[in-house]
Amino acid sequence: MTAAGTHQLRQREFVHLADIKPRTNTFIAWERRRHRQAHWLVECIAEFTGVFFYVYAGVGSTASYLLSNVAQLTGLGSLFQIGVAYAFGILFALVVCAPTSGGHFNPAITIAFTLLKRCTPKKAVRYIIAQILGAYVACLLIYVQWKDLIDEATAVLAAEGKLDAVMFTSNGPAGVFALYLTPGVSHGRVFLNEFVCDFIIGLVIWSCLDPTNFSAPPVAAPWIVAFVYAVVVWGYSPVGVATNAARDVGARLMALTIWGKDASGGSYAAIAALTNIPATLLAVAFYEFILADSSRVVTPAHADYLAGHLAHEEHSQGVIRGHSTSPSFDEKAQEQTIERV
């Protein structure tokens, strides 16, 4: 009888890209260095790029909507468009970058993995810094691309005598990037809105990471995660919702860079930046203790997915299955693949 937690993934023959697409000596040398010495840097770049995708798509769409309203232009955006943009940004991030870094793209997810011993504290710090930088750079680039319309909207507000009152609100030019308390909404209500939305997002994400979930095969997971973000944007963003500390902190740092301390957001900034962390951790605990069941079977799609990541890990380290110098390599590598689901 196999002891609990020691079952080996089904062995099968894999065809690696190197088997069918020979690479030049330069690429071979780079990949050898990347796998053994610079993999942490490549992973951080992937996290940076993933958050960049997500923020560039969503905030760019928000810019067209808010700035067109301020400048009294029509037909340049809608709340539905913003939700779709965020969804596709997340989809692109997961499809393009998750195979390299594991696809955290959110400090709350990184912290959850760290608490579950699936990510080291050093790696977590690197990931979170990369995620915040990704949002920061995306917002800076959007600002440059939209600067003409931002200046036009600012001029319109100044001419109407509304600039000071509107600039640093959810409806002002700075509100395209940093999040501000919606006029008329209390801090308690916006905290509740943020917490519930982030809890739901965390629950859906964790269900997609469950290898026994037949309804969420690996190929569908990016779409499921993308749509839950869209649902939150469509239904609850008017109240005020951040959903991701990297997106919020990176964007707020960008706003502070451009407009100074007036863009800080006051006490709401803490709610926007931090609420998603405890909400996500609660969602993870709820799923693990209430919804998950270790007696369920791993789906064939997830088994192949995990086996493929294990084969990649072995190949990148130059290990031939059955000839590893470390008897515990297979077990350690299998544990490492879980983070990359």
Side-chain angles (χ1 to χ4, degrees):
M1 179 179 293
T2 303
T6 62
H7 190 279
Q8 298 294 304
L9 291 172
R10 174 166 52 93
Q11 295 191 22
R12 51 167 291 189
E13 292 295 325
F14 286 94
V15 178
H16 297 273
L17 181 61
D19 299 329
I20 61 173
K21 186 179 179 182
R23 311 201 78 177
T24 65
N25 290 334
T26 300
F27 275 111
I28 293 173
W30 157 242
E31 287 197 333
R32 185 180 296 113
R33 179 175 293 274
R34 166 185 167 176
H35 291 150
R36 300 180 181 179
Q37 297 167 329
H39 195 56
W40 68 269
L41 177 60
V42 173
E43 289 176 337
C44 288
I45 292 173
E47 284 293 303
F48 171 97
T49 307
V51 176
F52 179 92
F53 267 124
Y54 159 60
V55 174
Y56 188 74
V59 174
S61 185
T62 302
S64 68
Y65 177 59
L66 288 184
L67 294 176
S68 64
N69 287 343
V70 173
Q72 300 177 355
L73 303 174
T74 59
L76 290 185
S78 66
L79 183 60
F80 178 77
Q81 173 189 298
I82 295 172
V84 171
Y86 269 112
F88 275 99
I90 292 166
L91 179 64
F92 298 156
L94 290 170
V95 170
V96 175
C97 302
T100 299
S101 68
H104 295 195
F105 308 140
N106 186 332
I109 299 298
T110 300
I111 292 170
F113 273 124
T114 304
L115 293 176
L116 292 173
K117 309 298 185 183
R118 298 182 186 178
C119 179
T120 65
K122 180 186 290 188
K123 187 176 189 176
V125 171
R126 289 170 174 169
Y127 269 27
I128 291 171
I129 292 173
Q131 292 159 4
I132 293 173
L133 284 175
Y136 180 81
V137 172
C139 287
L140 277 179
L141 186 58
I142 293 167
Y143 176 80
V144 173
Q145 291 178 261
W146 279 91
K147 191 172 188 309
D148 290 340
L149 194 54
I150 290 173
D151 291 344
E152 181 179 340
T154 301
V156 169
L157 290 173
E160 296 176 351
K162 300 178 181 178
L163 183 61
D164 292 339
V166 176
M167 183 66 183
F168 301 109
T169 69
S170 57
N171 296 316
V176 170
F177 307 97
L179 299 175
Y180 298 97
L181 190 66
T182 301
V185 179
S186 68
H187 284 77
R189 193 180 306 279
V190 78
F191 172 80
L192 177 65
N193 187 70
E194 182 75 46
F195 194 94
V196 172
C197 289
D198 295 342
F199 178 86
I200 291 172
I201 290 173
L203 205 58
V204 172
I205 290 174
W206 223 250
S207 73
C208 291
L209 297 177
D210 186 347
T212 70
N213 191 343
F214 280 83
S215 298
V219 70
W223 291 92
I224 297 172
V225 174
F227 278 125
V228 72
Y229 273 94
V231 167
V232 165
V233 171
W234 292 332
Y236 302 97
S237 61
V239 179
V241 65
T243 73
N244 188 323
R247 180 260 180 268
D248 181 75
V249 174
R252 195 166 303 282
L253 288 174
M254 172 270 167
L256 289 168
T257 300
I258 300 299
W259 290 291
K261 63 181 181 180
D262 290 338
S264 64
S267 57
Y268 172 66
I271 296 176
L274 300 176
T275 304
N276 74 99
I277 296 174
T280 300
L281 295 180
L282 181 62
V284 171
F286 181 85
Y287 192 89
E288 291 291 341
F289 284 100
I290 305 299
L291 301 179
D293 187 342
S294 60
S295 294
R296 296 182 187 137
V297 299
V298 175
T299 72
H302 280 97
D304 284 343
Y305 190 67
L306 294 172
H309 278 295
L310 175 58
H312 167 252
E313 183 73 19
E314 293 176 341
H315 189 273
S316 66
Q317 298 301 321
V319 176
I320 300 176
R321 180 175 285 276
H323 294 83
S324 172
T325 57
S326 171
S328 62
F329 179 83
D330 282 351
E331 181 180 343
K332 291 179 180 178
Q334 287 187 42
E335 292 175 357
Q336 293 169 356
T337 63
I338 301 299
E339 179 190 336
R340 298 175 178 275
V341 176

